[in-house]
Amino acid sequence: MTSDRTFVIVGASLAGAKAAETLRAEGFDERVVLIGAENERPYERPPLSKDYLRGEVDRETVYVHPEGYYAEHDIELRLGRTAVSLNTATRELALDDGERLRYDRLLLTIGAQPRRLSIPGGELDGVLYLRSVADCDALRDRLDRGGTVVVIGAGWIGAEVAASARQRGLEVAVIDPLAVPLERVLGAEVGTVYRDLHLDHGVRMLLGTSVEAFEGADAVERVRTIDGRTLECDFVVVGVGVQPRTGLAAQAGLAVDNGILVDQHLQTGAPGVFAAGDAANTHHPFYGERIRVEHWANALHQGPVAARAMLGEPDVYDRLPYFFSDQYDLGMEYAGFASSWDRVVFRGDPATREFIAFWLAGDRVVAGMNANVWDVTDQIQRLIRQRIAVDDRRLADPDVPLEDLVPADAPLTA
Ligand SMILES: Cc1cc2nc3c(=O)[nH]c(=O)nc-3n(C[C@H](O)[C@H](O)[C@H](O)COP(=O)(O)OP(=O)(O)OC[C@H]3O[C@@H](n4cnc5c(N)ncnc54)[C@H](O)[C@@H]3O)c2cc1C
């Protein structure tokens, strides 16, 4: 093996691991270094609020690759190492242990980090956040002990943690300023489905209010809301969104605005520097604007696209945003991107929790979610991608096959 060129990936994450895998799969036989701040080889985060959190699957199931994979593929995995500065002029990266690495190509897959609440009591013991497997192990330990948990935030992380905690038998209260869970993404109609789902499972939903303070002697003992309520608890989980990690890029003078700015090939403005996954704010050709997606599928698919761009064989990343969530017995997939819409059309009764919801802007579908209905995301994505006018009645009618709403030859990813 030659070692003429060095391709460095910062962020031993899903996107980073998939990029390294693709470099080798495409025949690149020079030096690949994968650097990760955590002491874990790359793993997937979705199980951390679902089956792994509930103790239903082993640690081994969360990893992207088996233990020996990186050595076998001659990928230098540097764990427990943080890249602390970057010089794009000299193409040098400095690590926290003083090492300096010269790179020919650099990929930043440094992800996102939880937004922290800075309110009185925010630093008390027992106020937990969930991003890493170490965070998850700490939370798992709390779930094992039982008791009462207050979840701050009814977004995806908060809602899934609340469901898992209920499934483990804890008393659960959720606090969120919005009127229904997930309202920002799903709107009131579908958010109501999730509110009722949690209520039916015995979660106390405190909606339309927010937390003012955490109180306790050494550890959190109670949560105070802005409308004067007090909730006794054993611990708290905060899930109030994430922020892209951009410090390294900003310090190096790369353009940053809600993420590291990249083009449709995932290239930054600096020669030889790329970004992918949660950290990247990507020009999306289908939408004609930049979007930053914080989902598993985006990290999974952007890694390989970034790798091909590093190899000088750029693809265009234009997949529609797609994500999934599992809460109790309600599984769903959501495709598309809707920052605004006119109305929601249901195929099936949302009260049965077995339905498809379509978000429409004018007469076009901009997003769709199948809940406990499977094998339809391809058709939903075609519907969005084709931007064809659809009739609400046919959309809602379960007797009209989704295929009939989209031309048979309509491409999925064109
Ligand atoms: C609990 C949980 C549940 C989720 N569930 C779902 C789900 O059901 N469906 C879904 O679609 N998505 C889900 N997601 C989101 C999904 O996991 C993320 O979109 C995905 O992990 C993003 O991957 P990434 O490769 O961009 O980076 P990340 O997973 O954020 O990883 C980035 C890595 O880079 C490392 N790093 C950062 N800075 C440096 C540095 N300077 N030097 C070295 N290393 C560094 C970090 O330590 C981290 O390990 C979930 C996320 C969480 C936390």
Side-chain angles (χ1 to χ4, degrees), residues 112-116 129-131 135 238 240-243 245:
Q113 62 201 4
R115 264 198 204 100
R116 299 189 76 86
Y129 290 80
L130 177 58
R131 182 73 190 177
D135 297 337
V238 181
V240 294
V242 296
Q243 302 175 300
R245 282 202 191 87

Side-chain angles (χ1 to χ4, degrees), residues 13 15 37-38 45 49-50 83 111 131 157 278 294-296 324:
S13 63
E38 296 179 58
R45 297 181 198 272
S49 49
K50 307 179 187 68
R131 182 73 190 177
I157 298 294
D278 280 15
E294 295 166 356
H295 297 305
W296 172 89
F324 58 92

